[in-house]
Amino acid sequence: MIRIVNLYKSFGSNHVLRGVDLEIRKGETMVIIGRSGEGKSVLLKTIVKLLEPDHGEIWFGGKNITAAGEKEKEAYLRRFGVLFQGAALFDSLSVEENVSFGLRRMKNLPEKEIARIVRERLAMVGLRDIEGKYPSELSGGMKKRVALARAIAMDPEVILYDEPTTGVDPIMADAINDLILDMKKKLSLTSVAVTHDMVSAYKIADRMAMLHEGRIVGMGTPAQIKKSRNPLIRQFISGSAQGPIRLV
Amino acid sequence: MKVMTKISVRFWRGFDSVADPILKLFLEIGNIFILLGELLAATFRILTCPRKLRHFYYQPIMEQMVRVGVDSIPVVLTTALFTGMVLAVQTGVTIEAKIKGSSMFIGNIVNLALIRELGPVLTAILVTGRVGSAMAAEIGSMKITEQIDALRTLAANPVEYIGVPRFLGVLCMMPMLTILADVLGSLGGWLVSSFHLGISSTVYWDGAQSTVGLADIFSGLSKSFFFAIILCIFALHRGFQTYGGAVGVGRSTTGAVVNASITILIADYFLTQLYALF
Ligand SMILES: Nc1ncnc2c1ncn2[C@@H]1O[C@H](COP(=O)(O)OP(=O)(O)OP(=O)(O)O)[C@@H](O)[C@H]1O
Ligand SMILES: [Mg+2]
């Protein structure tokens, strides 16, 4: 469904992505693992056009969207929901206004209907009666969940999760994992998740790929990854400071 | 041959390090004009969009007008009052001591200076300090917390959604504040000249009336429009370009205020020269 071909992105002399090739199939959850600072967030942002690649292509459903015009791009972006690493809730707006932001702008729905959708989406992420609260009144985990509700409010086909479980307690992390699995089932979503939480990765992934030094160095199902002989992958999944991946 | 290449490489490297900041400056200027174009286009789009969509912007625009206009009133009024007063003292005491009889022109001098220059410029600088800094800081922190990115993924154009309400707020309120500043400054001058210097009110107001014409009022107010645009552009530009955490927000805020203030003062000179042609 999404095909990333030979993607390059650098910031000045910092070459972050150096030829990423990755294919994400319809309906699957692809988990991208990799060390902090390897460019996982940059990769996600490039997919939704928040960053322009220096080189390479992104194909979506048979269309090269790197070369698409404004109109096409907009239609393309509407098919995505994004959960940002830091939740990125609009802090001048209430929870209700955050979740309904896209709905109000893009769909011409009566207020009642909007309120219903907001309530329903919040319930899906295990929250209720917080519509009137502001982001500053929420805990980190609640913010993540509100952001998730906002990302799924528009019924996207593809959802990008940037570290959905980082910064929440293990129980909440597992609840979020369940949520991701649940939403995939209910909304038949295609998902791309970035994480370095291996527990979460194994649980939600259909396939996993490891990003290292700007390239995908290995890919497979969780079972294949667990058995992988690739020393880079072995070191990462066992969380060892010793191995081919150097710390600096 | 080899030596030549070496020298030329070195030459170009040297040239690069000189050219780099200059190139960057031009790039910045280019970016600022692009942003200006986007901002004006977005403003036009919103003002002409169907009613249904427009209501989306009413509240933010009103909010900005209150924040820019109403909340700035105390600062602007106080500053203007004392500026008018000090102008009167300088004219009626300092200049009078050097040029006898000049205090008869106190109404002319104080009011003309206020309406043509000090009203618009002081207001613009004060509003830049109050509003421009807040604007850059707010947008900057939205940028570093990915809220700007989030806007874009929700199909909201950040310039449209964040920039336009602020722009319209400043654009409408700056001239209003300038008028208030003119009035208060004039009152300040009158207070000093009639109660401290003992010049009759008739002399003061007649002086004002005989000197200040429509052209002066137009000149002053039209300047305040330009200043509003300058303030917004720098605040938005620095805000949207913010990177690097809390330090970055601080950097953007300072940068926005300093650049906008300097540009306002420079633009004031050129606008004054331009008006002098007519
Ligand atoms: N807008 C930007 N401008 C300049 N450099 C950037 C920008 N965004 C990211 N980078 C750089 O790109 C590199 C990769 O960043 P990225 O945020 O993608 O890492 P990550 O893999 O998501 O790490 P983490 O797991 O810590 O979130 C970093 O070195 C970062 O400094
Ligand atoms: Mg990241």
Side-chain angles (χ1 to χ4, degrees), chain A residues 45 48-50 77-78 80 82 84-86 88-91 93 101-102 104-106 108 150 154, chain B residues 52-53 55-57 59 63 138 141-142 145-157 160-161:
Chain A
K45 285 183 185 174
V48 280
K49 297 244 156 204
L50 292 170
L77 285 181
R78 284 187 186 202
F80 282 86
V82 186
F84 287 92
Q85 193 163 352
L89 295 177
F90 305 127
D91 40 34
L93 302 180
F101 190 90
R104 277 190 216 279
R105 289 185 62 86
M106 284 180 270
N108 207 349
R150 181 177 69 182
M154 299 285 293
Chain B
K52 270 241 169 63
L53 284 173
H55 84 262
F56 211 78
Y57 291 92
Q59 212 205 330
E63 225 175 273
E138 202 180 338
S141 55
M142 288 184 80
T145 55
E146 296 176 315
Q147 289 178 55
I148 304 285
D149 286 340
L151 274 178
R152 284 166 59 187
T153 58
L154 292 165
N157 175 342
E160 211 172 284
Y161 186 76

Side-chain angles (χ1 to χ4, degrees), chain A residues 161-174:
Chain A
Y161 304 95
D162 198 346
E163 308 201 4
T165 56
T166 312
V168 301
D169 68 74
I171 296 171
M172 183 50 70
D174 197 51

